[in-house]
Amino acid sequence: MRDEAKTASPPALDIDDTAGAPGLITIDLDAVAANYRHLRDRVAPSECAAVIKADAYGLGMAKIGPVLWREGCRTFYVATIAEGRALRQLLPKATIYAFDGLMPGTADLFAELDIRPVLNSIEEIREWAAYCGKIGTPLPAGIHIDSGMNRLGLPEAELDAVAEDLSLLDAFTLSLVMSHLACSDVPKHPKNEAQRTRFDALRRRLPAAPASLSNSGGVMLGEAYHFDQVRPGIAIYGGQPAPDADHRFANVLTLESRILQVRTSPAGETIGYGATRHIDAPRRIATVAIGYADGISWVLSAGDGKSPLNAYLGPHPAPLMGRVSMDLITLDVTGIPEEYASRGALVQIIGPRVPLETIADYAQTVHYEILTNLCRRAPRRYVGGDA
Ligand SMILES: *Cc1c(COP(=O)(O)O)cnc(C)c1O
């Protein structure tokens, strides 16, 4: 188990890469491992795969892939063939699927890298079958059935066409039949059950193969949604799959930044670009070295009358004031003890005190986007997991 204190106060800074660095990203690999174990135990005896696309949701596939492998994860999903290639170098023995499927003319690349395409259309099925026929090896691939998302995968009519001539599948090994839930973050949504029944009926038109329906939210919907394998992503990375889930996944990411300057501004002044925030009494203002170029959305800007996000100075909440700039934000630190509100002190922007869901709400986005937009200029530090 990982303890809160460790995440709340990270070890001393490594001066080499953090001297003068405004932001600091800490990624807790023990929390990643604990989250994976929880999911794995919850779905056993179904298999728990891991979705590691978009550089492990922005947190770094190179560190996270091996941690998941050590925890017993053997099947990984990426979006693109390029991500698959990077993962293959890290995990030579992993089973890797690419959601984007087969781009025209890429079959030999999949074969060479030992990556399995998730075939999304009858055209892709034909192309993979033709390639496998040509090389005389029944390479594995998955088939994605659209059960109601209307995004990727075989619509019912295409599935029927395949089912009418199953010899189309003879040339390769069908190693997975999958579909994807549209509303698993809303457990009571009737679409969940509708997709589940539809998927279960549609998959039976194909030869028997391991079936997979659920992302993180689907895992929490219960055993009926687990089939042979589940494919969580966000929960592994510490995002809550649904607001009222019965388990809180461990915090993985902590984003901190440093105070550059603290001042007292008198009543009648305005703060920042656009003069959107007026102060009617003297306030202590801390300017912090992080902004929208670091993934802190401009939408978090807090002009007059807007309920602001709180950052944390130690245990003390400090509301954002005025606009988010490219490299700076300003916080109201009035009344916060100087040991926390001083030049060079660290401020928690995301972490145990500011969960991903909270900042996503204020930024009017999903917590997935908070992760994938994370700054590239802040040094990253991995803790735990023998990092
Ligand atoms: C991204 C993705 C997942 C993982 O979803 P989470 O909500 O992050 O658990 C699973 N399946 C498919 C098809 C995906 O695109």
Side-chain angles (χ1 to χ4, degrees):
M1 283 304 293
R2 105 197 200 294
D3 59 329
E4 177 97 339
K6 187 169 81 187
T7 318
S9 50
L13 296 180
D14 176 346
I15 284 300
D16 287 343
D17 63 353
T18 56
L24 181 62
I25 291 176
T26 306
I27 293 160
D28 184 344
L29 297 174
D30 288 343
V32 169
N35 289 338
Y36 177 76
R37 282 195 300 269
H38 178 86
L39 291 157
R40 181 195 67 194
D41 295 348
R42 195 170 182 120
V43 305
S46 301
E47 181 191 1
C48 189
V51 176
I52 198 162
K53 62 194 178 191
D55 197 24
Y57 290 37
L59 296 179
M61 185 171 78
K63 290 286 191 184
I64 287 175
V67 167
L68 294 172
W69 177 265
R70 275 204 297 279
E71 293 299 329
C73 185
R74 291 295 175 265
T75 304
F76 295 81
Y77 287 86
V78 293
T80 68
I81 183 85
E83 292 173 351
R85 178 197 283 131
L87 185 59
R88 175 55 74 220
Q89 278 163 10
L90 289 167
L91 301 176
K93 293 189 179 147
T95 297
I96 303 174
Y97 285 97
F99 285 134
D100 283 0
L102 201 59
M103 288 287 191
T106 57
D108 52 352
L109 198 53
F110 278 92
E112 183 191 318
L113 295 168
D114 184 19
I115 295 169
R116 304 177 181 190
V118 175
L119 304 170
N120 288 307
S121 66
I122 195 164
E123 250 185 293
E124 291 183 36
I125 292 175
R126 289 205 180 99
E127 193 170 325
W128 188 249
Y131 177 78
C132 292
K134 191 183 80 185
I135 64 166
T137 312
L139 294 173
I143 287 183
H144 182 168
I145 303 172
D146 182 4
S147 60
M149 184 95 163
N150 288 285
R151 195 180 62 169
L152 275 181
L154 276 77
E156 190 165 350
E158 272 190 37
L159 182 69
D160 283 341
V162 175
E164 270 165 36
D165 182 12
L166 286 174
S167 68
L168 197 53
L169 309 181
D170 287 348
F172 68 92
T173 304
L174 184 62
S175 56
L176 168 83
V177 177
M178 62 160 271
S179 192
H180 191 42
L181 294 166
C183 303
S184 68
D185 56 333
V186 184
K188 294 205 164 63
H189 203 294
K191 186 126 193 166
N192 292 321
E193 177 59 14
Q195 280 193 272
R196 187 185 73 77
T197 4
R198 196 151 179 228
F199 173 61
D200 205 19
L202 293 177
R203 76 187 178 101
R204 289 172 202 282
R205 298 192 200 164
L206 296 175
S212 177
L213 175 65
S214 285
N215 62 340
S216 303
V219 169
M220 310 310 270
L221 294 175
E223 204 186 323
Y225 287 80
H226 297 167
F227 292 89
D228 299 301
Q229 184 208 72
V230 297
R231 315 179 305 269
I234 192 81
I236 295 173
Y237 308 115
Q240 309 311 316
D244 47 3
D246 62 13
H247 174 75
R248 249 202 103 72
F249 287 88
N251 187 76
V252 171
L253 164 77
T254 300
L255 171 63
E256 296 164 294
S257 181
R258 283 184 195 282
I259 296 177
L260 299 176
Q261 201 178 93
V262 185
R263 69 179 61 220
T264 300
S265 296
E269 288 293 325
T270 64
I271 298 172
Y273 282 124
T276 60
R277 183 74 161 89
H278 295 79
I279 45 178
D280 48 18
R283 306 305 294 175
R284 291 284 285 165
I285 309 290
T287 301
V288 178
I290 197 162
Y292 58 76
D294 303 294
I296 301 305
S297 171
W298 187 86
V299 178
L300 291 166
S301 295
D304 292 340
K306 193 175 159 194
S307 156
L309 176 75
N310 285 323
Y312 274 83
L313 284 62
H316 304 285
L320 227 133
M321 294 187 104
R323 288 217 179 135
V324 174
S325 308
M326 186 182 291
D327 318 300
L328 301 170
I329 56 172
T330 35
L331 302 175
D332 185 350
V333 299
T334 311
I336 296 179
E338 231 184 277
E339 52 172 315
Y340 294 107
S342 60
R343 184 175 147 249
L346 280 172
V347 174
Q348 185 179 116
I349 312 290
I350 301 173
R353 293 185 194 277
V354 191
L356 285 174
E357 297 73 42
T358 303
I359 188 163
D361 276 354
Y362 279 93
Q364 294 167 34
T365 181
V366 287
H367 46 347
Y368 299 77
E369 194 184 38
I370 300 291
L371 287 178
T372 56
N373 274 356
L374 262 192
C375 49
R376 303 285 164 205
R377 71 174 153 187
R380 286 175 177 229
R381 184 186 35 185
Y382 291 87
V383 298
D386 308 326

Short mmCIF file of all heavy atoms in Angstrom, two decimals, residues 117-133 136-145 154 158-178 202-210:
data_model
loop_
_atom_site.label_atom_id
_atom_site.label_comp_id
_atom_site.label_asym_id
_atom_site.label_seq_id
_atom_site.Cartn_x
_atom_site.Cartn_y
_atom_site.Cartn_z
N PRO A 117 -3.39 -6.19 -35.07
CA PRO A 117 -4.35 -5.12 -35.35
C PRO A 117 -5.72 -5.48 -34.79
O PRO A 117 -6.09 -6.65 -34.76
CB PRO A 117 -4.38 -5.07 -36.88
CG PRO A 117 -3.99 -6.45 -37.31
CD PRO A 117 -3.05 -6.98 -36.26
N VAL A 118 -6.44 -4.47 -34.32
CA VAL A 118 -7.86 -4.66 -34.03
C VAL A 118 -8.59 -4.26 -35.31
O VAL A 118 -8.63 -3.09 -35.68
CB VAL A 118 -8.33 -3.77 -32.85
CG1 VAL A 118 -9.84 -3.91 -32.66
CG2 VAL A 118 -7.60 -4.15 -31.57
N LEU A 119 -9.12 -5.25 -36.02
CA LEU A 119 -9.71 -5.00 -37.34
C LEU A 119 -11.08 -4.35 -37.17
O LEU A 119 -11.94 -4.88 -36.48
CB LEU A 119 -9.80 -6.32 -38.12
CG LEU A 119 -8.46 -7.06 -38.25
CD1 LEU A 119 -8.66 -8.46 -38.81
CD2 LEU A 119 -7.47 -6.26 -39.11
N ASN A 120 -11.23 -3.19 -37.79
CA ASN A 120 -12.42 -2.37 -37.54
C ASN A 120 -13.46 -2.41 -38.65
O ASN A 120 -14.50 -1.77 -38.53
CB ASN A 120 -11.99 -0.92 -37.32
CG ASN A 120 -11.30 -0.73 -35.98
OD1 ASN A 120 -11.84 -1.10 -34.94
ND2 ASN A 120 -10.10 -0.17 -35.99
N SER A 121 -13.17 -3.09 -39.75
CA SER A 121 -14.12 -3.13 -40.86
C SER A 121 -13.87 -4.40 -41.67
O SER A 121 -12.83 -5.06 -41.53
CB SER A 121 -13.92 -1.91 -41.78
OG SER A 121 -12.65 -2.01 -42.41
N ILE A 122 -14.83 -4.70 -42.54
CA ILE A 122 -14.68 -5.90 -43.38
C ILE A 122 -13.51 -5.71 -44.34
O ILE A 122 -12.81 -6.67 -44.68
CB ILE A 122 -16.01 -6.21 -44.11
CG1 ILE A 122 -16.00 -7.63 -44.69
CG2 ILE A 122 -16.32 -5.19 -45.18
CD1 ILE A 122 -17.39 -8.14 -45.06
N GLU A 123 -13.28 -4.48 -44.74
CA GLU A 123 -12.12 -4.20 -45.60
C GLU A 123 -10.82 -4.58 -44.92
O GLU A 123 -9.92 -5.16 -45.52
CB GLU A 123 -12.08 -2.69 -45.86
CG GLU A 123 -12.42 -2.27 -47.26
CD GLU A 123 -12.21 -0.77 -47.39
OE1 GLU A 123 -12.98 -0.03 -46.74
OE2 GLU A 123 -11.28 -0.37 -48.11
N GLU A 124 -10.71 -4.17 -43.64
CA GLU A 124 -9.49 -4.51 -42.90
C GLU A 124 -9.37 -6.02 -42.71
O GLU A 124 -8.27 -6.59 -42.79
CB GLU A 124 -9.49 -3.82 -41.53
CG GLU A 124 -9.32 -2.31 -41.62
CD GLU A 124 -9.24 -1.63 -40.25
OE1 GLU A 124 -8.65 -2.22 -39.32
OE2 GLU A 124 -9.78 -0.52 -40.12
N ILE A 125 -10.51 -6.68 -42.49
CA ILE A 125 -10.49 -8.14 -42.33
C ILE A 125 -9.97 -8.78 -43.62
O ILE A 125 -9.10 -9.66 -43.60
CB ILE A 125 -11.90 -8.67 -41.98
CG1 ILE A 125 -12.28 -8.21 -40.57
CG2 ILE A 125 -11.95 -10.19 -42.10
CD1 ILE A 125 -13.70 -8.58 -40.16
N ARG A 126 -10.50 -8.29 -44.75
CA ARG A 126 -10.06 -8.85 -46.05
C ARG A 126 -8.56 -8.64 -46.25
O ARG A 126 -7.85 -9.53 -46.70
CB ARG A 126 -10.82 -8.18 -47.20
CG ARG A 126 -12.26 -8.60 -47.29
CD ARG A 126 -12.81 -8.45 -48.71
NE ARG A 126 -14.21 -8.86 -48.74
CZ ARG A 126 -15.24 -8.00 -48.69
NH1 ARG A 126 -15.02 -6.70 -48.66
NH2 ARG A 126 -16.46 -8.46 -48.69
N GLU A 127 -8.09 -7.45 -45.91
CA GLU A 127 -6.68 -7.15 -46.14
C GLU A 127 -5.77 -8.02 -45.26
O GLU A 127 -4.74 -8.52 -45.72
CB GLU A 127 -6.42 -5.65 -45.89
CG GLU A 127 -5.06 -5.20 -46.40
CD GLU A 127 -4.88 -3.68 -46.38
OE1 GLU A 127 -5.87 -2.94 -46.61
OE2 GLU A 127 -3.74 -3.24 -46.12
N TRP A 128 -6.16 -8.18 -44.00
CA TRP A 128 -5.36 -9.01 -43.09
C TRP A 128 -5.39 -10.47 -43.54
O TRP A 128 -4.35 -11.15 -43.56
CB TRP A 128 -5.88 -8.87 -41.66
CG TRP A 128 -5.02 -9.52 -40.61
CD1 TRP A 128 -5.33 -10.62 -39.87
CD2 TRP A 128 -3.71 -9.12 -40.19
NE1 TRP A 128 -4.30 -10.92 -39.01
CE2 TRP A 128 -3.29 -10.02 -39.19
CE3 TRP A 128 -2.84 -8.08 -40.57
CZ2 TRP A 128 -2.05 -9.92 -38.55
CZ3 TRP A 128 -1.60 -7.99 -39.93
CH2 TRP A 128 -1.21 -8.89 -38.94
N ALA A 129 -6.58 -10.93 -43.94
CA ALA A 129 -6.71 -12.32 -44.40
C ALA A 129 -5.85 -12.55 -45.65
O ALA A 129 -5.16 -13.57 -45.77
CB ALA A 129 -8.17 -12.64 -44.69
N ALA A 130 -5.88 -11.57 -46.56
CA ALA A 130 -5.10 -11.70 -47.79
C ALA A 130 -3.61 -11.76 -47.47
O ALA A 130 -2.86 -12.57 -48.02
CB ALA A 130 -5.40 -10.54 -48.74
N TYR A 131 -3.18 -10.90 -46.54
CA TYR A 131 -1.76 -10.88 -46.18
C TYR A 131 -1.35 -12.22 -45.55
O TYR A 131 -0.33 -12.79 -45.91
CB TYR A 131 -1.48 -9.72 -45.22
CG TYR A 131 -0.05 -9.69 -44.75
CD1 TYR A 131 0.96 -9.20 -45.59
CD2 TYR A 131 0.32 -10.19 -43.51
CE1 TYR A 131 2.29 -9.20 -45.19
CE2 TYR A 131 1.62 -10.20 -43.09
CZ TYR A 131 2.61 -9.71 -43.92
OH TYR A 131 3.92 -9.72 -43.52
N CYS A 132 -2.17 -12.70 -44.60
CA CYS A 132 -1.84 -13.96 -43.92
C CYS A 132 -1.84 -15.12 -44.92
O CYS A 132 -0.99 -16.02 -44.84
CB CYS A 132 -2.82 -14.23 -42.78
SG CYS A 132 -2.64 -13.07 -41.42
N GLY A 133 -2.80 -15.07 -45.87
CA GLY A 133 -2.83 -16.10 -46.92
C GLY A 133 -1.55 -16.08 -47.73
O GLY A 133 -0.94 -17.12 -48.01
N GLY A 136 1.26 -17.32 -45.75
CA GLY A 136 1.00 -18.69 -45.31
C GLY A 136 1.08 -18.88 -43.80
O GLY A 136 1.35 -19.98 -43.32
N THR A 137 0.85 -17.80 -43.02
CA THR A 137 0.87 -17.91 -41.56
C THR A 137 -0.41 -17.27 -41.00
O THR A 137 -0.68 -16.11 -41.30
CB THR A 137 2.09 -17.15 -40.97
OG1 THR A 137 3.25 -17.55 -41.70
CG2 THR A 137 2.28 -17.46 -39.50
N PRO A 138 -1.14 -18.01 -40.20
CA PRO A 138 -2.40 -17.46 -39.65
C PRO A 138 -2.12 -16.56 -38.45
O PRO A 138 -2.37 -16.93 -37.31
CB PRO A 138 -3.18 -18.72 -39.24
CG PRO A 138 -2.13 -19.74 -38.93
CD PRO A 138 -0.93 -19.42 -39.78
N LEU A 139 -1.64 -15.35 -38.71
CA LEU A 139 -1.29 -14.42 -37.63
C LEU A 139 -2.54 -13.99 -36.85
O LEU A 139 -3.62 -13.90 -37.42
CB LEU A 139 -0.61 -13.18 -38.21
CG LEU A 139 0.75 -13.40 -38.87
CD1 LEU A 139 1.23 -12.11 -39.54
CD2 LEU A 139 1.77 -13.88 -37.84
N PRO A 140 -2.37 -13.71 -35.56
CA PRO A 140 -3.53 -13.30 -34.76
C PRO A 140 -3.97 -11.86 -35.02
O PRO A 140 -3.14 -11.00 -35.35
CB PRO A 140 -3.03 -13.45 -33.32
CG PRO A 140 -1.54 -13.38 -33.40
CD PRO A 140 -1.14 -13.85 -34.77
N ALA A 141 -5.25 -11.62 -34.86
CA ALA A 141 -5.81 -10.27 -34.92
C ALA A 141 -7.13 -10.27 -34.18
O ALA A 141 -7.74 -11.33 -33.99
CB ALA A 141 -6.03 -9.83 -36.37
N GLY A 142 -7.54 -9.09 -33.74
CA GLY A 142 -8.83 -8.94 -33.09
C GLY A 142 -9.85 -8.36 -34.05
O GLY A 142 -9.49 -7.82 -35.10
N ILE A 143 -11.12 -8.50 -33.71
CA ILE A 143 -12.19 -7.84 -34.48
C ILE A 143 -12.99 -6.98 -33.51
O ILE A 143 -13.34 -7.41 -32.41
CB ILE A 143 -13.10 -8.87 -35.18
CG1 ILE A 143 -12.36 -9.49 -36.37
CG2 ILE A 143 -14.40 -8.20 -35.66
CD1 ILE A 143 -13.21 -10.47 -37.18
N HIS A 144 -13.22 -5.74 -33.92
CA HIS A 144 -13.99 -4.80 -33.12
C HIS A 144 -15.40 -4.74 -33.70
O HIS A 144 -15.58 -4.38 -34.86
CB HIS A 144 -13.30 -3.43 -33.18
CG HIS A 144 -13.95 -2.36 -32.36
ND1 HIS A 144 -13.33 -1.16 -32.10
CD2 HIS A 144 -15.15 -2.29 -31.74
CE1 HIS A 144 -14.13 -0.41 -31.36
NE2 HIS A 144 -15.24 -1.08 -31.12
N ILE A 145 -16.38 -5.10 -32.87
CA ILE A 145 -17.79 -5.01 -33.28
C ILE A 145 -18.36 -3.73 -32.68
O ILE A 145 -18.19 -3.47 -31.49
CB ILE A 145 -18.59 -6.20 -32.72
CG1 ILE A 145 -17.99 -7.54 -33.18
CG2 ILE A 145 -20.05 -6.09 -33.13
CD1 ILE A 145 -18.65 -8.73 -32.50
N LEU A 154 -17.02 -2.91 -36.66
CA LEU A 154 -17.96 -3.38 -37.69
C LEU A 154 -19.40 -3.09 -37.27
O LEU A 154 -19.85 -3.59 -36.24
CB LEU A 154 -17.83 -4.89 -37.89
CG LEU A 154 -16.74 -5.38 -38.83
CD1 LEU A 154 -15.39 -5.31 -38.13
CD2 LEU A 154 -17.02 -6.79 -39.31
N GLU A 158 -22.16 -5.13 -41.54
CA GLU A 158 -20.87 -5.68 -41.97
C GLU A 158 -20.57 -6.99 -41.25
O GLU A 158 -19.99 -7.91 -41.82
CB GLU A 158 -19.74 -4.68 -41.69
CG GLU A 158 -19.53 -3.72 -42.83
CD GLU A 158 -18.28 -2.87 -42.69
OE1 GLU A 158 -17.25 -3.36 -42.19
OE2 GLU A 158 -18.36 -1.69 -43.07
N LEU A 159 -20.97 -7.03 -39.99
CA LEU A 159 -20.78 -8.27 -39.23
C LEU A 159 -21.58 -9.39 -39.87
O LEU A 159 -21.09 -10.51 -40.01
CB LEU A 159 -21.20 -8.07 -37.77
CG LEU A 159 -20.97 -9.30 -36.90
CD1 LEU A 159 -19.48 -9.55 -36.69
CD2 LEU A 159 -21.67 -9.18 -35.56
N ASP A 160 -22.79 -9.07 -40.31
CA ASP A 160 -23.62 -10.07 -40.99
C ASP A 160 -22.92 -10.59 -42.24
O ASP A 160 -22.92 -11.79 -42.52
CB ASP A 160 -24.97 -9.46 -41.39
CG ASP A 160 -25.91 -9.36 -40.19
OD1 ASP A 160 -25.66 -10.07 -39.19
OD2 ASP A 160 -26.85 -8.56 -40.24
N ALA A 161 -22.32 -9.66 -42.99
CA ALA A 161 -21.63 -10.06 -44.22
C ALA A 161 -20.48 -11.01 -43.89
O ALA A 161 -20.26 -11.99 -44.61
CB ALA A 161 -21.12 -8.83 -44.95
N VAL A 162 -19.76 -10.73 -42.81
CA VAL A 162 -18.67 -11.63 -42.41
C VAL A 162 -19.25 -12.97 -41.98
O VAL A 162 -18.75 -14.04 -42.35
CB VAL A 162 -17.84 -11.01 -41.26
CG1 VAL A 162 -16.78 -11.99 -40.75
CG2 VAL A 162 -17.18 -9.71 -41.71
N ALA A 163 -20.33 -12.91 -41.19
CA ALA A 163 -20.92 -14.14 -40.64
C ALA A 163 -21.45 -15.05 -41.76
O ALA A 163 -21.48 -16.27 -41.62
CB ALA A 163 -22.03 -13.79 -39.66
N GLU A 164 -21.87 -14.43 -42.86
CA GLU A 164 -22.39 -15.22 -43.97
C GLU A 164 -21.30 -15.98 -44.70
O GLU A 164 -21.56 -16.96 -45.39
CB GLU A 164 -23.12 -14.32 -44.98
CG GLU A 164 -24.59 -14.18 -44.65
CD GLU A 164 -25.21 -13.03 -45.42
OE1 GLU A 164 -24.80 -12.80 -46.58
OE2 GLU A 164 -26.09 -12.35 -44.84
N ASP A 165 -20.07 -15.50 -44.59
CA ASP A 165 -18.97 -16.19 -45.26
C ASP A 165 -17.78 -16.25 -44.30
O ASP A 165 -16.79 -15.53 -44.45
CB ASP A 165 -18.58 -15.45 -46.54
CG ASP A 165 -17.46 -16.17 -47.28
OD1 ASP A 165 -17.17 -17.33 -46.92
OD2 ASP A 165 -16.86 -15.56 -48.18
N LEU A 166 -17.88 -17.15 -43.33
CA LEU A 166 -16.85 -17.21 -42.29
C LEU A 166 -15.50 -17.69 -42.82
O LEU A 166 -14.49 -17.58 -42.13
CB LEU A 166 -17.32 -18.09 -41.12
CG LEU A 166 -18.38 -17.45 -40.22
CD1 LEU A 166 -18.90 -18.44 -39.19
CD2 LEU A 166 -17.84 -16.19 -39.52
N SER A 167 -15.50 -18.18 -44.07
CA SER A 167 -14.22 -18.63 -44.64
C SER A 167 -13.25 -17.45 -44.76
O SER A 167 -12.03 -17.63 -44.85
CB SER A 167 -14.45 -19.26 -46.01
OG SER A 167 -14.87 -18.27 -46.93
N LEU A 168 -13.83 -16.24 -44.72
CA LEU A 168 -13.00 -15.04 -44.75
C LEU A 168 -12.01 -15.03 -43.59
O LEU A 168 -10.93 -14.44 -43.66
CB LEU A 168 -13.94 -13.83 -44.63
CG LEU A 168 -13.46 -12.45 -45.00
CD1 LEU A 168 -12.87 -12.44 -46.39
CD2 LEU A 168 -14.60 -11.46 -44.90
N LEU A 169 -12.37 -15.70 -42.50
CA LEU A 169 -11.53 -15.68 -41.31
C LEU A 169 -10.54 -16.85 -41.26
O LEU A 169 -9.72 -16.93 -40.35
CB LEU A 169 -12.40 -15.72 -40.04
CG LEU A 169 -13.53 -14.69 -39.94
CD1 LEU A 169 -14.27 -14.84 -38.62
CD2 LEU A 169 -12.99 -13.27 -40.08
N ASP A 170 -10.62 -17.73 -42.26
CA ASP A 170 -9.80 -18.94 -42.20
C ASP A 170 -8.30 -18.67 -42.23
O ASP A 170 -7.52 -19.40 -41.63
CB ASP A 170 -10.14 -19.87 -43.39
CG ASP A 170 -11.49 -20.55 -43.18
OD1 ASP A 170 -12.02 -20.46 -42.05
OD2 ASP A 170 -12.02 -21.13 -44.15
N ALA A 171 -7.94 -17.59 -42.92
CA ALA A 171 -6.51 -17.37 -43.15
C ALA A 171 -5.78 -16.82 -41.92
O ALA A 171 -4.56 -16.81 -41.88
CB ALA A 171 -6.31 -16.41 -44.33
N PHE A 172 -6.54 -16.31 -40.92
CA PHE A 172 -5.84 -15.78 -39.74
C PHE A 172 -6.45 -16.33 -38.45
O PHE A 172 -7.44 -17.05 -38.48
CB PHE A 172 -5.79 -14.25 -39.76
CG PHE A 172 -7.11 -13.54 -39.59
CD1 PHE A 172 -7.54 -13.15 -38.32
CD2 PHE A 172 -7.91 -13.22 -40.69
CE1 PHE A 172 -8.74 -12.47 -38.16
CE2 PHE A 172 -9.10 -12.54 -40.54
CZ PHE A 172 -9.52 -12.16 -39.27
N THR A 173 -5.83 -16.01 -37.34
CA THR A 173 -6.31 -16.48 -36.04
C THR A 173 -7.10 -15.37 -35.37
O THR A 173 -6.55 -14.29 -35.11
CB THR A 173 -5.11 -16.87 -35.15
OG1 THR A 173 -4.33 -17.83 -35.84
CG2 THR A 173 -5.58 -17.43 -33.81
N LEU A 174 -8.36 -15.62 -35.10
CA LEU A 174 -9.18 -14.63 -34.41
C LEU A 174 -8.88 -14.75 -32.91
O LEU A 174 -9.33 -15.69 -32.25
CB LEU A 174 -10.66 -14.86 -34.71
CG LEU A 174 -11.63 -13.83 -34.13
CD1 LEU A 174 -11.35 -12.44 -34.69
CD2 LEU A 174 -13.08 -14.23 -34.38
N SER A 175 -8.11 -13.79 -32.39
CA SER A 175 -7.63 -13.92 -31.00
C SER A 175 -8.42 -13.06 -30.03
O SER A 175 -8.18 -13.10 -28.82
CB SER A 175 -6.15 -13.54 -30.93
OG SER A 175 -5.96 -12.24 -31.46
N LEU A 176 -9.35 -12.24 -30.56
CA LEU A 176 -10.09 -11.31 -29.70
C LEU A 176 -11.32 -10.81 -30.45
O LEU A 176 -11.25 -10.50 -31.64
CB LEU A 176 -9.19 -10.11 -29.38
CG LEU A 176 -9.85 -8.88 -28.75
CD1 LEU A 176 -9.97 -9.07 -27.25
CD2 LEU A 176 -9.05 -7.61 -29.04
N VAL A 177 -12.44 -10.73 -29.74
CA VAL A 177 -13.60 -10.01 -30.26
C VAL A 177 -13.95 -8.96 -29.23
O VAL A 177 -14.15 -9.27 -28.06
CB VAL A 177 -14.80 -10.95 -30.49
CG1 VAL A 177 -16.01 -10.17 -30.96
CG2 VAL A 177 -14.45 -12.02 -31.50
N MET A 178 -13.94 -7.70 -29.64
CA MET A 178 -14.15 -6.64 -28.66
C MET A 178 -15.20 -5.63 -29.10
O MET A 178 -15.59 -5.55 -30.27
CB MET A 178 -12.83 -5.92 -28.35
CG MET A 178 -12.21 -5.21 -29.53
SD MET A 178 -11.03 -3.91 -29.03
CE MET A 178 -12.14 -2.51 -28.88
N LEU A 202 -24.04 -10.32 -30.77
CA LEU A 202 -23.30 -10.16 -32.03
C LEU A 202 -22.05 -11.04 -32.07
O LEU A 202 -21.73 -11.63 -33.10
CB LEU A 202 -22.91 -8.69 -32.23
CG LEU A 202 -24.07 -7.71 -32.47
CD1 LEU A 202 -23.54 -6.28 -32.59
CD2 LEU A 202 -24.86 -8.08 -33.74
N ARG A 203 -21.36 -11.13 -30.94
CA ARG A 203 -20.10 -11.89 -30.96
C ARG A 203 -20.34 -13.36 -31.27
O ARG A 203 -19.46 -14.06 -31.76
CB ARG A 203 -19.35 -11.72 -29.65
CG ARG A 203 -19.91 -12.52 -28.48
CD ARG A 203 -19.22 -12.18 -27.19
NE ARG A 203 -19.80 -12.90 -26.06
CZ ARG A 203 -19.26 -13.99 -25.50
NH1 ARG A 203 -18.13 -14.48 -25.97
NH2 ARG A 203 -19.85 -14.57 -24.48
N ARG A 204 -21.54 -13.86 -30.97
CA ARG A 204 -21.85 -15.27 -31.21
C ARG A 204 -21.98 -15.59 -32.70
O ARG A 204 -22.06 -16.74 -33.09
CB ARG A 204 -23.10 -15.68 -30.46
CG ARG A 204 -22.85 -15.74 -28.97
CD ARG A 204 -24.10 -15.95 -28.15
NE ARG A 204 -23.90 -15.51 -26.78
CZ ARG A 204 -23.24 -16.19 -25.86
NH1 ARG A 204 -22.71 -17.36 -26.15
NH2 ARG A 204 -23.08 -15.71 -24.64
N ARG A 205 -22.05 -14.57 -33.53
CA ARG A 205 -22.10 -14.83 -34.98
C ARG A 205 -20.71 -15.11 -35.55
O ARG A 205 -20.57 -15.50 -36.70
CB ARG A 205 -22.70 -13.62 -35.71
CG ARG A 205 -24.13 -13.35 -35.27
CD ARG A 205 -24.80 -12.36 -36.18
NE ARG A 205 -25.95 -11.77 -35.51
CZ ARG A 205 -26.56 -10.67 -35.90
NH1 ARG A 205 -26.14 -10.03 -36.99
NH2 ARG A 205 -27.59 -10.20 -35.23
N LEU A 206 -19.70 -14.86 -34.72
CA LEU A 206 -18.32 -15.14 -35.14
C LEU A 206 -17.85 -16.43 -34.47
O LEU A 206 -18.44 -16.86 -33.48
CB LEU A 206 -17.39 -13.99 -34.74
CG LEU A 206 -17.66 -12.63 -35.39
CD1 LEU A 206 -16.75 -11.56 -34.80
CD2 LEU A 206 -17.48 -12.72 -36.91
N PRO A 207 -16.78 -17.02 -34.97
CA PRO A 207 -16.22 -18.19 -34.29
C PRO A 207 -15.83 -17.80 -32.86
O PRO A 207 -15.50 -16.65 -32.59
CB PRO A 207 -14.97 -18.53 -35.11
CG PRO A 207 -15.15 -17.85 -36.42
CD PRO A 207 -16.03 -16.66 -36.19
N ALA A 208 -15.85 -18.76 -31.95
CA ALA A 208 -15.51 -18.48 -30.54
C ALA A 208 -14.12 -17.86 -30.43
O ALA A 208 -13.17 -18.34 -31.04
CB ALA A 208 -15.57 -19.77 -29.73
N ALA A 209 -14.04 -16.78 -29.68
CA ALA A 209 -12.76 -16.11 -29.44
C ALA A 209 -12.89 -15.34 -28.13
O ALA A 209 -14.00 -14.97 -27.74
CB ALA A 209 -12.44 -15.15 -30.59
N PRO A 210 -11.77 -15.08 -27.44
CA PRO A 210 -11.84 -14.30 -26.20
C PRO A 210 -12.56 -12.97 -26.44
O PRO A 210 -12.30 -12.30 -27.44
CB PRO A 210 -10.37 -14.08 -25.84
CG PRO A 210 -9.65 -15.21 -26.50
CD PRO A 210 -10.41 -15.52 -27.75
#
